[in-house]
Amino acid sequence: MRIEAALMTKVGQPLKIEKIELASPGPKEVLVEIKATGVCHSDLNALHDSTTPCPCVLGHEASGIVQEVGRDVRLVRPGDRVVLSWLPYCGTCTFCTRGKFTLCEMAFGPMFAGTLLDGTTRLQRPDHSDEKVYHYSLLSTFASHAVVPEMSCIKIPNQMPFAEASLLGCGVGTGFGAVVRTAKVEPGSHVAVFGIGGVGISAIQAARISGAERIFACDLKAQNLEFAKQFGATDTILIQDTPAEETIRAATGGSGVDYAIDATGSPVAFQSAFSSLKKGGSLVVVGAFASGKSISLPGGGFHRMGKSIQGSFYGDINPLRDLPMLAELYLKGKLQLSELVLEKIPLKQINEAFATFANPQALTAGRSVVVLE
Ligand SMILES: [Zn+2]
Ligand SMILES: [Zn+2]
C-alpha cells in the first residue's frame, strides 16, 4: 500500500515527507494505522548518527489501530487500539524465562540492521526500486502506517486517547519502570531524580504514585524543574555551582535519599546521584552513557556504605503487563499524560519538533506529538 512517511535520507538533514510503499505484514506481523507518535530524543540521536541504516523512517513511540494481521498473529485483531513497544521479546530465552524481558536479545540484530525480525524490510520508495528503505527500532512510526512485530503491539482500552497513549511505549514506560520495577520505591521514602527529560519526568510521577515523601528533581534547566513540580517534585535543584548531593544532604538532615534515579547519561551526574544516597540506598541508572565513556566512584569506604547500583533498560518493564496498567492509571486520573503533551502537530511539521530539542530555552521534559488524521 502507498503510505505517507517522514524519511531520513541523510545524516543530520531534515526529514522529507514522501509517499512510499509499505508491503503487507508477514505471518507474525501487524499492519497498524498510526494515529499519534511522540518525537523522542532517541529519534534525534538516530538522525545525527552515521551508523543509522539510511534512508529510513524514524519514530518509535506511537499508538494506533490494527488494520490487518498476519496469519499466525494471536495477540491482536483488526480494530484493536494499540500502543507500540520498541523492544519485542522472544519469551523462551534464558532471560525471558526468568521474567527479564528487557534483557532479551532477539530484537537487537534486526534493530541495528534496520530491518524487521526476519532480517528483511517492508518499505520502498517508488522511484528508487533498487534502494532499500530501512526501519527504525522495528517500528518506523513517523508515517501514516507501519508494519510491526506482533510482540510490539500492546492492546489498550478503547477510551484511551491516542496522543496520551503514544507516550506510554517509551519515555513514560521507562521512567515509571525505573522507579516501580527496578528501584521498587516504597511509601515514605526519599527519591532524587537526575535529568528531567521524558524519562525523568515520568520517574518523578512514578515516585509520587509510589508514595515517596520527598522527591528531588535535579536538572540544568530551570524550566524543566518548574514543570516537574506539577508531576510531584517536592524539591527542585538547579545544577549549577553547588553539587546537587550537597543540597540534597542539607535538605535531608545530612543523610541523603533512599533512591536516586540517574536519567542523564552524564558521568558527572552519575557520581552526584551516587553521592546523594544515604547508606544502604540504591542508584538506578536509566540514562545511556555515550560509548567509550567511563564512570568511576571513589573507592574508599565503598564496602561500608551498603549502597547498590543497578542498570535499568526500558525500565525493566514487561510491556504486555505494564503498558495496559499505565493506561488504566491514566483513565483513573492517577497518571498525568495530557500535561506531558506540549503540542500536537501534523507530520509535515516534524522537523520543527526536532529543532525544539536543540533550543536551550525550550522545555524538554514534555513531548511534541505528531497526530495523524
Ligand atoms: Zn524514545
Ligand atoms: Zn527472550
Side-chain angles (χ1 to χ4, degrees):
M1 67 184 293
R2 194 62 60 97
I3 68 166
E4 188 172 54
L7 205 62
M8 169 183 170
T9 55
K10 280 208 180 83
V11 177
Q13 295 295 306
L15 304 183
K16 286 185 186 164
I17 308 295
E18 288 191 13
K19 302 274 187 211
I20 63 172
E21 272 302 306
L22 177 66
S24 299
K28 291 180 79 64
E29 294 169 1
V30 176
L31 170 65
V32 178
E33 179 190 359
I34 304 295
K35 301 297 280 185
T37 174
V39 182
C40 175
H41 208 274
S42 303
D43 296 306
L44 180 67
N45 291 345
L47 179 61
H48 290 280
D49 183 347
S50 60
T51 68
T52 303
C54 185
C56 78
V57 178
L58 298 172
H60 64 283
E61 50 177 70
S63 61
I65 299 174
V66 173
Q67 295 283 305
E68 186 185 334
V69 300
R71 66 168 188 269
D72 297 333
V73 167
R74 300 286 176 267
L75 288 174
V76 291
R77 289 189 298 202
D80 282 346
R81 194 172 283 222
V82 290
V83 57
L84 301 182
S85 162
W86 54 264
L87 190 59
Y89 56 88
C90 75
T92 55
C93 71
T94 180
F95 302 110
C96 286
T97 51
R98 286 186 285 151
K100 300 280 187 185
F101 302 108
T102 59
L103 301 183
C104 179
E105 291 169 359
M106 173 188 73
F108 289 108
M111 196 181 284
F112 295 133
T115 66
L116 292 186
L117 290 173
D118 67 355
T120 65
T121 61
R122 305 286 171 277
L123 300 164
Q124 187 83 58
R125 284 164 104 178
D127 48 346
H128 297 68
S129 56
D130 52 341
E131 174 192 77
K132 271 188 183 172
V133 175
Y134 293 96
H135 298 254
Y136 177 64
S137 265
L138 301 123
L139 298 180
S140 292
T141 59
F142 292 161
S144 60
H145 298 77
V147 167
V148 304
E150 174 185 24
M151 288 299 286
S152 290
C153 294
I154 316 291
K155 198 175 160 187
I156 50 170
N158 282 338
Q159 315 89 282
M160 190 70 200
F162 290 111
E164 283 79 357
S166 73
L167 307 181
L168 297 177
C170 186
V172 172
T174 303
F176 193 92
V179 166
V180 172
R181 300 299 177 207
T182 315
K184 301 185 173 66
V185 166
E186 293 159 334
S189 53
H190 294 179
V191 180
V193 178
F194 288 75
I196 310 302
V199 171
I201 198 80
S202 299
I204 296 269
Q205 180 153 218
R208 184 199 77 224
I209 293 170
S210 299
E213 187 192 313
R214 290 286 285 279
I215 304 171
F216 295 86
C218 314
D219 199 75
L220 295 163
K221 281 185 168 183
Q223 56 272 47
N224 286 345
L225 294 174
E226 194 55 38
F227 191 63
K229 288 179 187 169
Q230 61 175 304
F231 294 88
T234 58
D235 300 73
T236 56
I237 299 174
L238 184 64
I239 298 175
Q240 282 176 312
D241 302 333
T242 309
E245 64 269 30
E246 286 182 20
T247 310
I248 289 171
R249 274 204 293 269
T252 52
S255 64
V257 290
D258 304 285
Y259 302 95
I261 311 294
D262 176 17
T264 64
S266 152
V268 175
F270 165 82
Q271 287 187 356
S272 221
F274 182 80
S275 302
S276 74
L277 291 174
K278 67 167 67 155
K279 280 190 185 182
S282 301
L283 167 59
V284 167
V285 178
V286 67
F289 299 109
S291 59
K293 280 205 175 168
S294 299
I295 44 176
S296 62
L297 295 169
F302 182 86
H303 69 295
R304 282 189 278 107
M305 293 187 286
K307 297 182 183 181
S308 61
I309 306 172
Q310 196 176 346
S312 175
F313 187 52
Y314 204 4
D316 283 328
I317 59 171
N318 171 354
L320 276 170
R321 171 192 63 189
D322 291 333
L323 300 187
M325 180 204 70
L326 288 168
E328 289 294 345
L329 283 176
Y330 167 78
L331 291 171
K332 287 176 182 153
K334 294 181 177 167
L335 181 71
Q336 294 165 249
L337 294 176
S338 304
E339 296 83 349
L340 286 175
V341 180
L342 300 180
E343 58 174 356
K344 293 181 184 175
I345 57 172
L347 189 62
K348 63 178 188 295
Q349 282 178 25
I350 192 160
N351 290 304
E352 293 166 32
F354 279 124
T356 304
F357 279 117
N359 176 0
Q361 306 308 323
L363 176 69
T364 43
R367 276 283 191 270
S368 298
V369 177
V370 173
V371 176
L372 297 116
E373 301 302 337

